[in-house]
Amino acid sequence: PNGTMLGEGLQLLNEQLGIGMPALIANFGYVPGGAGGLRRLGGNLRETVNGSNVDWTQGSLASVNGLSDFSMILVLAASPQSVRDWVEQVHTTAPNTPIVAMVSAASDALVFPYTEGSKPAIWGLVAGYAGAQAYRAAFLPASLPTSGVAAMRWQSFAGGTLAILITLVAGVIGSLALGRFRKSRKVGE
């Protein structure tokens, strides 16, 4: 249910940064039913999203009848189960359409096996914030500003990591000091 809002936010960010990635963006809305909804989406795209505000006569959409007509499917997922559903339900109906997944760092280990083999179900994988930054550095134009939203997010990520590291070091030092204090106290008794 949050995917529609996330997609609109990414589209707005894309416009603000001036990246101009996709030439055509169509919001198909929320497809209920979990894995079953994805199966319907893979089987009959137009009928499944019939109630949405999609104009099927609009430019490039006029030639789209199913998911196999797209050049790529991008799956943004926070859980490995979501990626698994896309692979099991959609990849089987459109096996020649590349699926690229962007997942949280916690999902990486469970999603990575789908990228293996001679005919992988997932053709590309970006995992976690560090993976997103690596993708940004590798594929987006160098002319993009290094300040703004991306820089602020990276700074907060790095700041949070530094805070955790300092807390861990303080805990280890405190534990060692407390252990020595207790040991010297026992010897003195």
Side-chain angles (χ1 to χ4, degrees):
N2 297 331
T4 302
M5 291 186 301
L6 177 63
E8 289 171 358
L10 289 173
Q11 180 181 358
L12 180 63
L13 184 62
N14 182 40
E15 291 169 5
Q16 288 173 347
L17 292 175
I19 300 170
M21 288 172 69
L24 172 71
I25 296 175
N27 184 351
F28 291 149
Y30 174 64
V31 178
L38 289 175
R39 186 66 170 172
R40 284 192 325 275
L41 188 70
N44 193 342
L45 176 66
R46 286 189 177 211
E47 186 178 306
T48 303
V49 296
N50 192 21
S52 66
N53 296 325
V54 177
D55 181 10
W56 290 103
T57 61
Q58 172 190 345
S60 299
L61 279 180
S63 63
V64 173
N65 293 308
L67 289 178
S68 59
D69 294 328
F70 286 100
S71 59
M72 183 182 78
I73 297 171
L74 174 63
V75 177
L76 303 173
S79 73
Q81 182 60 42
S82 298
V83 177
R84 179 179 171 196
D85 289 344
W86 275 90
V87 167
E88 290 178 354
Q89 304 303 326
V90 174
H91 176 66
T92 56
T93 60
N96 295 323
T97 303
I99 296 177
V100 175
M102 293 183 153
V103 299
S104 65
S107 301
D108 181 30
L110 297 172
V111 174
F112 183 75
Y114 292 117
T115 66
E116 297 291 298
S118 60
K119 291 192 130 214
I122 296 177
W123 290 25
L125 178 63
V126 176
Y129 197 75
Q133 289 299 322
Y135 174 83
R136 183 177 191 274
F139 293 105
L140 295 182
S143 61
L144 283 178
T146 55
S147 60
V149 177
M152 287 187 310
R153 288 184 180 160
W154 184 250
Q155 289 168 358
S156 64
F157 176 76
T161 304
L162 181 62
I164 291 170
L165 182 62
I166 289 170
T167 304
L168 287 172
V169 169
V172 167
I173 291 171
S175 177
L176 290 172
L178 186 61
R180 284 187 176 244
F181 174 73
R182 286 184 180 164
K183 189 175 182 181
S184 66
R185 191 170 168 199
K186 272 188 175 180
V187 171
E189 290 179 358

